Amino acid sequence: MGGVRRRKTEGGRPVSFFWFPIEHLPVIILIMLIAFTVHEFAHAWTAWKFGDDTAYREGRVTLNPLAHLDWIGMLFLVLAGFGWAKPVPVRRSRFKNPRLMSILVTAAGPLSNLLLAFVFLFLIHLLSALNVFDHASIDFLNNLVTFVNYWMAINLALFIFNLIPIPPLDGYRIVEEFLPIRTRIKIQEMGQWITFAFLLIIFIPPLRAVTISPLMSLRGPIWDGMNNILNLIF
């Protein structure tokens, strides 16, 4: 990526072309790489364990980010707050129970991000209970809070966003298993238009504010629920 470009100043502060604060980009990119990699790995690994080795043969059953990274999707995520990784190839005909196993393979991706959020929060609670942070500097604690906030926000966003039942998201792949064949065919025929309309919703702020944003607000209750569970443990 070239030099950082800036827009005109707003309220005395330069506005970046990036969706996120420039100073936080290294942390955000690191978290995104981990979140996307684990998400796609979960799809590939689950499919492999259920009998479909398509993703395995293509080198997707790995935690190497380069195997899953889509550079254009990553760029869009940094610039616009919306992006994607390489889709994992799955042949449902190789499953013993195609419908059930397809649903589980599809759900594995979003659930992996939910698990990442919970496990990381568990570690923070554990370290706090062990008084590890008692003598930490203010700068370290501030940086830790920033990292935790982004880690939770990004992973919970991927969990919620991917469950939206609109193609080509995971949520639609789950719902698709229960749709009549005729309905599936019609949706496939309109696939490009549905995707285009969905992109408009994402990138047009007024539309995003009344559709995607309310869904993203669910991150707060989920995060609070995790904290409540962990507070009972610690």
Side-chain angles (χ1 to χ4, degrees):
M1 185 178 295
V4 176
R5 299 171 295 168
R6 295 175 181 268
R7 295 173 181 165
K8 64 180 181 180
T9 58
E10 180 178 297
R13 294 183 60 190
V15 180
S16 168
F17 276 109
F18 297 114
W19 182 265
F20 304 97
I22 296 174
E23 63 272 19
H24 295 162
L25 278 180
V27 169
I28 292 166
I29 291 174
L30 172 63
I31 294 173
M32 287 176 178
L33 284 174
I34 296 172
F36 274 127
T37 297
V38 172
H39 182 106
E40 300 304 331
F41 167 80
H43 284 314
W45 184 85
T46 308
W48 177 45
K49 289 300 180 181
F50 284 159
D52 176 19
D53 66 347
T54 306
Y56 178 83
R57 288 186 286 105
E58 293 191 12
R60 301 299 300 277
V61 184
T62 176
L63 289 174
N64 180 358
L66 295 178
H68 307 289
L69 186 62
D70 184 305
W71 292 104
I72 296 178
M74 192 70 176
L75 181 61
F76 262 78
L77 207 155
V78 172
L79 295 177
F82 167 79
W84 57 87
K86 293 179 183 178
V88 171
V90 176
R91 296 179 63 180
R92 68 191 303 277
S93 61
R94 295 192 171 187
F95 298 143
K96 292 181 179 179
N97 187 331
R99 172 178 288 182
L100 175 60
M101 293 182 175
S102 292
I103 292 173
L104 294 176
V105 168
T106 303
L111 289 176
S112 71
N113 293 117
L114 183 65
L115 182 62
L116 278 177
F118 183 79
V119 169
F120 187 76
L121 201 59
F122 175 88
L123 291 175
I124 295 298
H125 276 260
L126 176 62
L127 294 175
S128 180
L130 295 175
N131 303 318
V132 172
F133 304 126
D134 285 0
H135 302 292
S137 66
I138 297 298
D139 287 341
F140 175 83
L141 292 176
N142 287 337
N143 290 331
L144 179 62
V145 168
T146 298
F147 189 91
V148 171
N149 285 337
Y150 278 122
W151 180 276
M152 297 297 293
I154 290 172
N155 277 289
L156 291 179
L158 286 174
F159 167 67
I160 296 170
F161 186 81
N162 277 285
L163 289 179
I164 297 175
I166 295 177
L169 300 178
D170 293 333
Y172 171 72
R173 299 304 175 196
I174 294 174
V175 172
E176 183 182 34
E177 294 295 332
F178 301 96
L179 296 177
I181 295 179
R182 289 184 179 180
T183 305
R184 293 190 196 182
I185 294 174
K186 289 182 179 180
I187 293 176
Q188 289 175 358
E189 291 174 349
M190 298 186 298
Q192 291 183 340
W193 292 107
I194 294 174
T195 301
F196 178 72
F198 187 51
L199 290 175
L200 288 180
I201 290 174
I202 291 172
F203 289 114
I204 296 178
L207 295 178
R208 181 171 180 151
V210 297
T211 54
I212 305 300
S213 294
L215 288 175
M216 291 300 103
S217 68
L218 295 174
R219 289 179 293 182
I222 295 174
W223 191 342
D224 289 341
M226 290 181 177
N227 273 323
N228 290 336
I229 293 172
L230 292 172
N231 285 336
L232 293 175
I233 298 175
F234 296 101

